[in-house]
Amino acid sequence: QRIVHVYETDPDNFPRLMELMQDIQEYGQPPADIVKELAPGLEFDEEGMPKMDAAAMGGMFPPGMPMPPFPGSAGDENCIIM
């Protein structure tokens, strides 16, 4: 409710929106039944992270191109941003 309120009343307040989103993330992943309702067909791996392949990303990556790793996953030690 707080995120929606800030978004509707002050949508350019990105620092506050990010702060509220980080607060929510501290509670972990949302319940699977809610996610299935919002994103039918989304699958999760054994760690509870969404399986994101080229098809799931809506064609953002060409077929056969490997997906970049999520932060905290294997391979992120080579990330130059982190």
Side-chain angles (χ1 to χ4, degrees), residues 21-79:
M21 290 178 73
Q22 287 174 343
D23 289 348
I24 288 174
Q25 288 178 334
E26 290 179 12
Y27 292 102
Q29 297 289 338
D33 54 338
I34 293 175
V35 173
K36 286 181 182 180
E37 183 179 321
L38 296 173
L42 183 64
E43 296 179 18
F44 295 89
D45 66 15
E46 60 280 350
E47 295 176 3
M49 296 298 293
K51 291 182 179 179
M52 304 298 279
D53 59 11
M57 294 297 288
M60 286 178 52
F61 298 94
M65 181 177 181
M67 292 288 298
F70 285 106
S73 65
D76 69 350
E77 64 275 357
N78 295 322
C79 180

Side-chain angles (χ1 to χ4, degrees), residues 2-3 14-28:
R2 289 182 287 164
I3 289 176
F14 295 115
R16 180 67 179 143
L17 289 167
M18 298 283 32
E19 177 185 335
L20 291 170
M21 290 178 73
Q22 287 174 343
D23 289 348
I24 288 174
Q25 288 178 334
E26 290 179 12
Y27 292 102

